[in-house]
Amino acid sequence: MALVLSGLSGCDQSNTSTVPSSPDSLASATPPSSEQTPPRESLPAAPSPSPDDRPRIIAFGDSLTAGLGVSPEQSYPTQLQKQLDTLGYHYQVLNAGVSGDTSAGGLRRVSWVLAGKPRVVILELGGNDGLRGLGLPETRSHLDAIIRQFKDAHVRVILAGMKLPPNYGEEYTARFEAIYRDLAQLHGLPLIPFLLEGVGGEKALNQSDGIHPTGEGYRIVVENVLRSLLPVLKDASTNNSSAKKKQA
């Protein structure tokens, strides 16, 4: 685990491109990174409505979500889309990952993501906070604020837990990991215990930097995501069916 996340905070910002004009473009283009995000008053225009009428799942995170170092087709959001299509789930998966993003940067992007009218958000942020040794209360506060904004907008949130290398100290790493469990319990959220479970530390499943998964590594990440996502989608499908029966 010492190499799993040790370089996320120094991710190459060149992976980030310009802001898309519509939510459908999120898979190949993202808003400016948190390191370059302008003040709130000059944030880019919100995504415009999409002709695709499928409910949207937005993968919201840092380089692990953006797919740094692999082709867009190999990123986990794109592979997740293919899996959901195969399983017969009628959803559109969009990639809102920004390399180098922190929980503070993510908080500044919430309104932009909400403009894409997501039904579900997979929230993967905080790893860079921990690697930079930022104050844990601040990280928790930012993540809590992000979750509350999505909940207020009636968006289902799936929280992706992260871990830190052991050289950050047993107390700090334990408190960091507990943030995700505590927030999931507080808000009643599905929790992915560790997004990189089965991938982190596995040389064959990571790129040469030892940090970011390969396409095959992201395939396993998708399996981790599906274990928490599918119950949410099944529940939504059941509720929709019940509502239609009542209307009939």
Side-chain angles (χ1 to χ4, degrees), residues 54-212:
R54 291 176 296 173
R56 301 183 184 109
I57 299 170
I58 294 186
F60 183 29
D62 52 38
S63 61
L64 294 175
T65 295
L68 183 68
V70 299
S71 67
E73 292 73 22
Q74 291 180 314
S75 68
Y76 104 69
T78 301
Q79 294 200 53
L80 177 61
Q81 178 74 76
K82 294 176 181 177
Q83 285 295 316
L84 291 178
D85 291 345
T86 299
L87 294 170
Y89 287 92
H90 193 65
Y91 284 84
Q92 180 187 22
V93 181
L94 303 176
N95 189 336
V98 170
S99 294
D101 211 2
T102 61
S103 62
L107 182 57
R108 290 192 291 270
R109 291 200 289 137
V110 170
S111 60
W112 188 87
V113 172
L114 282 174
K117 301 188 182 303
R119 183 74 58 82
V120 178
V121 165
I122 303 168
L123 177 58
E124 175 270 310
L125 282 170
N128 286 321
D129 296 50
L131 293 170
R132 297 174 186 182
L134 302 182
L136 296 180
E138 288 76 13
T139 298
R140 188 186 190 282
S141 177
H142 295 152
L143 292 174
D144 180 66
I146 291 171
I147 293 166
R148 290 181 186 277
Q149 288 189 46
F150 284 132
K151 289 181 68 177
D152 288 346
H154 306 289
V155 176
R156 291 295 304 271
V157 178
I158 296 174
L159 185 60
M162 297 304 297
K163 295 184 179 182
L164 293 175
N167 58 295
Y168 279 74
E170 183 176 349
E171 180 182 357
Y172 186 80
T173 56
R175 289 172 56 209
F176 174 81
E177 293 173 25
I179 288 174
Y180 298 93
R181 295 193 300 271
D182 293 347
L183 288 175
Q185 182 175 11
L186 174 65
H187 292 287
L189 307 179
L191 174 67
I192 304 168
F194 180 37
L195 186 73
L196 299 178
E197 187 67 43
V199 179
E202 297 294 333
K203 185 176 181 180
L205 297 175
N206 286 276
Q207 299 172 48
S208 58
D209 61 7
I211 301 160
H212 299 91

Side-chain angles (χ1 to χ4, degrees), residues 209-238:
D209 61 7
I211 301 160
H212 299 91
T214 60
E216 178 61 20
Y218 277 123
R219 184 188 65 79
I220 296 175
V221 168
V222 169
E223 294 176 359
N224 296 337
V225 171
L226 283 173
R227 278 193 285 272
S228 295
L229 175 62
L230 288 183
V232 171
L233 301 186
K234 290 176 181 177
D235 181 59
S237 178
T238 300

Side-chain angles (χ1 to χ4, degrees), residues 31-52:
S33 74
S34 61
E35 302 303 317
Q36 301 168 345
T37 302
R40 181 177 295 275
E41 61 271 17
S42 60
L43 282 173
S48 59
S50 165
D52 192 326

